[in-house]
């Protein structure tokens, strides 16, 4: 699990700008959703084409946070990445044809093929009845046309999002940024996020806390939802 803290000069900058570090003193559980991003074999399984090794270390924390959110009456949404095959490629050729090397492209497209909800998540994840399962086809689950997440959240009266999953600095940060742009209040849950390095993880959180939302840990979330 990543352990590098947000650096003090960043904390000082946040306080100077808005007068406090954290945006929320309490979370209304009924208006809060845990959004878990990309905890699926493509990114979690050893040897997978887009493996994020650190993602396996956050499985227990995510499952624990999901239990807390459910117990308090909040929503849990599991979002996995999936792209449809189109001809010899996929519905995101701008990514696969330019950012994925040719020798692993077919394997990566196959790994991200749509799957039933029961098969989409990494085997260690613990969804429960009543949870929402969605697929996205871009980094951000809230990008236009990427998924039905925004509609689900609006319909459920959700205002605050707890962001968990992998990668911290790619799909999780992208979803969190778009959430803020859409007038949700996103919180990156630091010990439920994984990147390819400690430095990338911390850089994402430091940018996020300054401009897009809050950064908390599981133990703090439980207190905020009490």
């Amino acid at each position: 699990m990543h352990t590098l803290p947000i650096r003090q000069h960043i904390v000082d900058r946040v306080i100077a700008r808005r007068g406090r570090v954290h945006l929320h003193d309490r979370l209304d559980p009924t208006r809060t959703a845990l959004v878990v991003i990309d905890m699926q074999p493509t990114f979690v399984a050893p040897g997978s084409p887009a493996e994020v090794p650190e993602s396996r270390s956050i499985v227990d924390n995510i499952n624990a946070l999901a239990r807390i959110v459910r117990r308090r009456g909040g929503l849990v949404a599991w979002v996995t990445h999936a792209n449809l095959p189109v001809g010899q490629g996929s519905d995101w050729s701008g990514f696969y044809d330019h950012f994925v090397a040719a020798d692993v492209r077919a394997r990566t497209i196959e790994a991200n093929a749509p799957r039933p909800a029961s098969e989409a998540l990494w085997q260690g994840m613990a969804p429960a009845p009543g949870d929402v399962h969605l697929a996205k086809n871009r980094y951000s689950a809230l990008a236009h046309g990427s998924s039905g997440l925004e509609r689900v959240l609006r319909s459920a009266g959700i205002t605050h999002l707890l962001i968990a999953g992998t990668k911290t600095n790619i799909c999780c940060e992208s979803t969190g940024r778009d959430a803020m742009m859409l007038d949700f209040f996103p919180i990156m849950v630091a010990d439920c996020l994984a990147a390819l390095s400690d430095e990338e993880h911390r850089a994402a959180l430091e940018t996020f806390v300054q401009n897009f939302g809050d950064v908390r840990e599981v133990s703090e979330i439980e207190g905020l939802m009490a």
Side-chain angles (χ1 to χ4, degrees), residues 120-133:
L121 291 173
W122 170 243
Q123 61 190 18
M125 307 318 300
D131 291 356
V132 173
H133 296 263

Side-chain angles (χ1 to χ4, degrees), residues 150-161:
E150 182 182 3
R151 182 177 297 178
V152 168
L153 298 173
R154 302 285 189 204
S155 296
I158 298 298
T159 55
H160 291 68
L161 309 185

